[in-house]
Amino acid sequence: MATHTTPTIRPTTAAAVVPDVKPLLRRPAVEAATGESRSTIYRKIERGLFPKPVCIGRDKNGNASQTGWPAHEVAAINAARIAGKSDEEIKKLVVELEAARTIGKEA
């Protein structure tokens, strides 16, 4: 007598399909995650205390029309602030985070 087994169906997650996903946060989510206003975030970017956003969309003229921040970068800045890092240490961290974006990128 043949036995019939039901195949196991496993739920598919984004991590299973694309294991190296690094989520991007739009500005309102960054504001919520940091507790900072839009103007404070951009002032910190100008001072080198927060990473620049990455382009995630362009308009018909090729200008960046949509931007976001890698979630791990926002988390790293938050962790550094919580740890009491100085502004100079934060600036070094920002340089490292932004430099890491190009690692493995083909020229």
Side-chain angles (χ1 to χ4, degrees):
M1 178 187 266
T3 59
H4 178 8
T5 60
T6 304
T8 304
I9 299 174
R10 295 188 178 108
T12 303
T13 64
V17 176
V18 185
D20 195 23
V21 169
K22 292 186 177 158
L24 294 173
L25 302 177
R26 299 297 302 273
R27 187 180 42 78
V30 173
E31 289 174 10
T34 62
E36 305 282 8
S37 68
R38 174 191 178 281
S39 58
T40 299
I41 290 168
Y42 284 101
R43 190 171 25 255
K44 285 185 173 185
I45 291 169
E46 288 176 14
R47 293 178 54 209
L49 295 169
F50 203 80
K52 295 174 186 159
V54 296
C55 177
I56 57 176
R58 296 197 177 277
D59 65 17
K60 63 182 179 180
N61 297 320
N63 300 316
S65 62
Q66 296 177 346
T67 59
W69 284 262
H72 71 279
E73 292 182 7
V74 175
I77 296 297
N78 284 344
R81 286 285 177 207
I82 291 167
K85 301 292 183 183
S86 69
D87 282 356
E88 289 308 311
E89 291 171 309
I90 300 286
K91 287 179 181 181
K92 289 178 185 175
L93 174 60
V94 168
V95 169
E96 291 170 8
L97 291 170
E98 290 180 346
R101 293 178 182 175
T102 60
I103 292 177
K105 200 182 222 184
E106 308 246 348

